[in-house]
């Protein structure tokens, strides 16, 4: 059968080379020295071992165990990286990754959210970090990736209470102290700008709160106020952890710290002034909600005008603290979404985040994960996003923390492994990224979402983004490289080709 294999390998190489030539993107050496290429995951989505070695539930465990996912799935086992991290780090090394982006499960490390540390949790993250470092792969660590301990949710409604600031800061302190000698890249929170929209307005991700008539299945919550309170407390928690890192660790450990936001680009569906204004409103609510406080010390004026007294105020001190609280900003970018103006509707229940923006096209779930297949991507969305961030937010240091293409259905049959569309998508986006850098955007790194198939937060196991496929029916969770893994490997490990990207 050897000739079959040889034929298969040359066929793959032919395809890969062909795609490369047709896109003009040759290798990573087109990028500035020091630019970091990696791939990512998050704790609940990839670790498994959910009730093992002293870990207690996070809000995702309770949510999935209540049967709330479309496919009724859980992250109890998922890709089981907890038991396979050595094998996975070898695969990362083979791929030529400079960095691996992952998150720490707060309830694995400090099971009740505060108080006693779980020694086995501490041991796991030390092992993972050491394994990465031993292969020269930089750990890029997120402290809270859409997940917090269920006990803090039960105790005081999690990030709706100012008590959360102190607990988060203490947890961050512990992580800096234990891991900061080896971890030089910290992110406090992942995607606060969707966490509270999904978790506290629409109620379709944990903690699954909302109020009639705004969300789905609302028994507890307040959609009109909680999304704004939640982001406010998360921002203050971020600023507090950063202040501590700067005062106590940064000078010695020489690391960087920031926050990561979901960053779609938005395009008006028409040239009408109303649709153009709606698109700007969408950008202010989606990006400005987080970036304005981080750069200018307050929420956008548009939001203050529309949301009024439901939007919390910052004290002068808090403003000052926020303004300088990011060494780097992470952007999770997938695509552009079309925006159409909708007249603002009021009801006796008031208004929620969605009605505050009053646009059609906000509904991320159908737009991102149900659109099948996402065949009409246009990677200029990334260039437009980066240009907007550069101009509006004083050209901050940026890392693309997520970029990738979903596929649906069977995840590891022959067809699912031959993910040519994903190869085209990644190539196209990486090329756009390079053009943005050449046009002055200060981008420091790029991470594919995701390193391997895992529990996806909107679709469970019904969609997959991995460079590696995982056989979820196999007890051993065998990993299979997709064509995209082979392409990324060749992109990362190939010597510089003299033609470069300019020949495109
Ligand atoms: C969350 O899950 C844990 C463990 O299954 C359970 O003890 C607890 O009651 C749950 N809490 C809520 C609010 O559902
Ligand atoms: C939400 O909070 C606002 C402001 O406190 C209040 O006016 C409104 O009645 C609350 N809504 C619900 C459903 O509790
Ligand atoms: C504001 O910051 C200043 C200087 O950092 C500090 O002395 C003061 O106590 C702070 N005030 C409040 C209300 O936190
Ligand atoms: C490149 O940057 C300049 C200055 O910000 C801007 O005017 C121009 O539109 C940018 N080009 C692209 C393609 O984004």
């Amino acid at each position: 059968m050897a000739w079959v294999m040889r034929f298969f390998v040359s066929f793959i190489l032919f395809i890969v080379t062909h795609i490369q030539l047709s896109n003009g993107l040759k290798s990573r050496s087109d990028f500035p020295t020091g630019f970091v290429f990696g791939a990512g995951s998050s704790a609940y989505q990839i670790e498994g071992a959910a009730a093992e070695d002293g870990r207690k539930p996070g809000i995702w465990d309770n949510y999935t165990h209540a049967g709330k996912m479309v496919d009724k799935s859980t992250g109890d086992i998922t890709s089981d990286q907890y038991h396979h991290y050595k094998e996975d780090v070898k695969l990362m090394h083979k791929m030529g990754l400079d960095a691996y982006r992952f998150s720490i499960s707060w309830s694995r490390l400090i099971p009740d959210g505060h108080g006693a540390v779980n020694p086995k949790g501490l041991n796991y993250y030390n092992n993972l970090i050491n394994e990465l470092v031993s292969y020269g792969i930089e750990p890029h660590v997120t402290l809270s990736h859409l997940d917090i301990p269920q006990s803090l949710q039960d105790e005081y409604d999690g990030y709706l209470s100012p008590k959360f600031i102190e607990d988060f800061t203490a947890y961050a302190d512990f992580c800096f102290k234990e891991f900061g000698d080896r971890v030089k890249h910290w992110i406090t929170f992942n995607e606060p700008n969707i966490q509270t929209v999904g978790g506290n307005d629409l109620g379709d991700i944990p903690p699954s709160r909302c109020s009639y008539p705004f969300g789905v299945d609302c028994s507890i919550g307040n959609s009109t106020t909680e999304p704004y309170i939640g982001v406010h407390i998360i921002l203050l928690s971020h600023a507090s952890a950063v202040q501590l890192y700067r005062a106590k660790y940064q000078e010695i450990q020489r690391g960087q710290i920031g926050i990561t936001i979901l960053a779609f680009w938005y395009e008006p569906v028409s040239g009408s002034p109303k649709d153009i204004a709606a698109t700007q409103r969408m950008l202010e609510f989606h990006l400005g909600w987080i970036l304005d406080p981080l750069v200018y010390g307050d929420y956008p004026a548009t939001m203050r005008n529309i949301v009024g007294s439901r939007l919390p105020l910052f004290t002068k001190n808090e403003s000052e603290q926020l303004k300088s609280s990011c060494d780097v900003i992470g952007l999770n970018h997938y695509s552009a979404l079309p925006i159409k103006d909708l007249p603002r509707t009021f009801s006796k229940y008031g208004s929620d985040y969605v009605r505050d923006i009053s646009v059609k096209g906000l509904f991320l779930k159908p737009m991102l994960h149900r659109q099948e297949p996402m065949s009409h991507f246009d990677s200029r969305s990334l260039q437009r996003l980066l240009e907007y961030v550069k101009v509006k937010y004083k050209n901050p240091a940026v890392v693309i923390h997520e970029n990738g293409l979903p596929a649906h259905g069977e995840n590891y049959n022959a067809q699912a492994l031959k993910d040519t569309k994903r190869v085209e998508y990644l190539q196209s986006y990486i090329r756009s990224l390079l053009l943005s850098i050449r046009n002055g955007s200060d981008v420091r790194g790029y991470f594919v979402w995701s390193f391997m198939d895992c529990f996806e937060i909107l679709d469970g196991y019904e969609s997959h983004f991995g460079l590696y496929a995982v056989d979820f029916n196999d007890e051993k969770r065998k990993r299979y490289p997709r064509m995209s893994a082979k392409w990324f490997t060749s992109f990362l490990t190939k010597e510089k080709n003299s033609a470069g990207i300019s020949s495109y």
Side-chain angles (χ1 to χ4, degrees):
M1 293 304 274
W3 69 272
V4 178
M5 280 308 294
R6 259 209 314 275
F7 174 77
F8 188 66
V9 168
S10 5
F11 179 68
I12 299 279
L13 281 176
F14 168 77
I15 296 283
V16 166
T17 314
H18 178 74
I19 292 171
Q20 271 174 347
L21 289 177
S22 66
N23 277 281
L25 185 66
K26 295 303 190 298
S27 80
R28 61 162 306 156
S29 55
D30 289 322
F31 281 78
T33 36
F35 191 88
V36 169
F37 280 100
S41 70
S42 91
Y44 185 72
Q45 295 179 263
I46 202 162
E47 284 179 1
E52 223 174 296
D53 288 348
R55 183 182 179 277
K56 284 194 181 171
I59 53 177
W60 276 97
D61 296 85
N62 280 69
Y63 181 83
T64 56
H65 280 253
K68 294 196 177 175
M69 296 299 295
V70 283
D71 60 353
K72 308 285 177 223
S73 65
T74 74
D76 285 1
I77 305 177
T78 179
S79 329
D80 201 19
Q81 187 161 78
Y82 189 77
H83 296 112
H84 292 265
Y85 71 93
K86 286 194 175 173
E87 171 190 345
D88 288 348
V89 172
K90 277 200 189 76
L91 296 179
M92 292 170 205
H93 173 67
K94 206 171 126 205
M95 189 178 272
L97 297 188
D98 305 317
Y100 178 48
R101 172 179 184 251
F102 64 96
S103 73
I104 291 175
S105 164
W106 184 347
S107 62
R108 189 186 292 291
L109 196 58
I110 303 175
D112 294 318
H114 46 202
V117 168
N118 171 20
K120 289 185 174 166
L122 177 58
N123 201 32
Y124 172 67
Y125 292 111
N126 270 323
N127 288 343
L128 172 61
I129 291 165
N130 288 342
E131 195 70 12
L132 289 165
V133 169
S134 77
Y135 281 96
I137 299 169
E138 291 176 0
H140 286 228
V141 177
T142 304
L143 293 170
S144 176
H145 191 112
L146 304 175
D147 197 16
I148 65 167
Q150 179 67 38
S151 62
L152 300 185
Q153 191 63 36
D154 295 341
E155 215 176 293
Y156 52 67
D157 292 335
Y159 50 70
L160 295 179
S161 164
K163 289 181 189 159
F164 183 80
I165 301 171
E166 196 184 316
D167 284 335
F168 180 76
T169 308
Y171 159 61
D173 190 2
F174 183 73
C175 292
F176 302 147
K177 175 163 75 73
E178 295 295 330
F179 310 127
D181 56 334
R182 289 150 293 156
V183 175
K184 307 299 170 192
H185 300 271
W186 294 103
I187 289 296
T188 52
F189 291 92
N190 177 68
E191 298 184 355
N193 58 335
I194 199 65
Q195 172 138 26
T196 72
V197 178
N200 300 75
D201 180 359
L202 306 173
D204 58 0
I205 63 168
S208 185
R209 294 167 63 95
C210 53
S211 61
Y212 182 82
F214 301 109
V216 287
D217 188 16
C218 307
S219 56
I220 183 169
N222 189 333
S223 297
T224 74
T225 54
E226 288 185 11
Y228 300 110
I229 295 168
V231 158
H232 197 74
I233 302 280
I234 288 174
L235 282 172
L236 296 178
S237 306
H238 158 81
S240 164
V242 171
Q243 192 173 50
L244 177 110
Y245 183 65
R246 298 242 168 101
K248 218 168 140 184
Y249 299 102
Q250 195 163 38
E251 203 174 313
I252 308 153
Q253 296 182 348
R254 306 212 161 272
Q256 293 193 331
I257 190 161
I259 199 166
T260 295
I261 66 174
L262 183 62
F264 282 101
W265 181 243
Y266 295 100
E267 300 273 2
V269 294
S270 81
S272 87
K274 280 193 166 174
D275 290 337
I276 291 169
T279 304
Q280 187 56 37
R281 211 158 57 232
M282 188 67 236
L283 287 169
E284 306 266 9
F285 273 77
H286 182 65
L287 302 173
W289 192 11
I290 313 295
L291 293 184
D292 272 51
L294 295 177
V295 176
Y296 299 111
D298 196 10
Y299 299 115
T302 315
M303 288 187 75
R304 287 244 170 261
N305 291 338
I306 294 172
V307 185
S309 63
R310 288 174 295 130
L311 191 61
L313 299 168
F314 293 113
T315 66
K316 201 158 184 320
N317 270 19
E318 289 166 349
S319 267
E320 287 307 314
Q321 219 184 325
L322 274 166
K323 260 202 257 186
S324 53
S325 67
C326 279
D327 301 318
V328 66
I329 287 167
L331 301 175
N332 295 346
H333 178 74
Y334 288 91
S335 63
L337 300 178
I339 292 295
K340 183 172 168 45
D341 181 62
L342 273 188
R344 195 150 174 238
T345 53
F346 294 91
S347 76
K348 62 178 173 169
Y349 304 100
S351 176
D352 67 336
Y353 176 83
V354 177
R355 278 156 192 79
D356 285 335
I357 311 173
S358 55
V359 299
K360 194 162 183 282
L362 173 66
F363 304 100
L364 307 175
K365 198 165 178 169
M367 305 223 55
L368 177 64
H369 289 253
R370 298 288 170 195
Q371 208 174 48
E372 170 79 44
M374 205 163 112
S375 51
H376 301 295
F377 61 81
D378 178 352
S379 64
R380 283 174 299 181
S381 65
L382 180 60
Q383 283 163 262
R384 290 172 185 146
L385 170 73
L386 287 170
E387 182 62 23
Y388 182 81
V389 169
K390 178 180 93 180
V391 172
K392 177 139 186 166
Y393 297 106
K394 309 184 199 172
N395 202 11
V398 159
V399 175
I400 304 303
H401 266 152
E402 292 182 15
N403 178 239
L405 185 71
H408 296 257
E410 277 293 332
N411 74 320
Y412 79 101
N413 61 15
Q415 196 195 339
L417 293 180
K418 202 175 148 216
D419 56 344
T420 47
K421 199 88 215 165
R422 184 174 287 120
V423 174
E424 283 170 35
Y425 174 97
L426 295 174
Q427 261 216 333
S428 181
Y429 269 94
I430 292 173
R431 182 159 41 88
S432 282
L433 177 62
L434 182 56
L435 295 177
S436 292
I437 293 171
R438 292 196 172 158
N439 201 37
S441 282
D442 186 7
V443 189
R444 309 284 177 89
Y446 171 91
F447 291 73
V448 175
W449 182 269
S450 53
F451 176 63
M452 61 176 48
D453 290 351
C454 59
F455 169 87
E456 276 298 330
I457 61 159
L458 295 178
D459 295 334
Y461 301 101
E462 286 190 351
S463 71
H464 44 91
F465 287 72
L467 297 168
Y468 274 86
V470 174
D471 179 358
F472 293 111
N473 295 315
D474 173 12
E475 211 178 303
K476 299 206 177 82
R477 295 296 191 271
K478 192 165 162 34
R479 284 88 162 104
Y480 298 86
R482 291 211 168 93
M483 187 185 275
S484 55
K486 292 169 186 168
W487 172 75
F488 204 40
T489 305
S490 117
F491 173 76
L492 292 178
T493 55
K494 211 165 64 170
E495 289 304 308
K496 185 169 175 65
N497 179 312
S498 58
I501 194 171
S502 49
S503 65
Y504 176 65

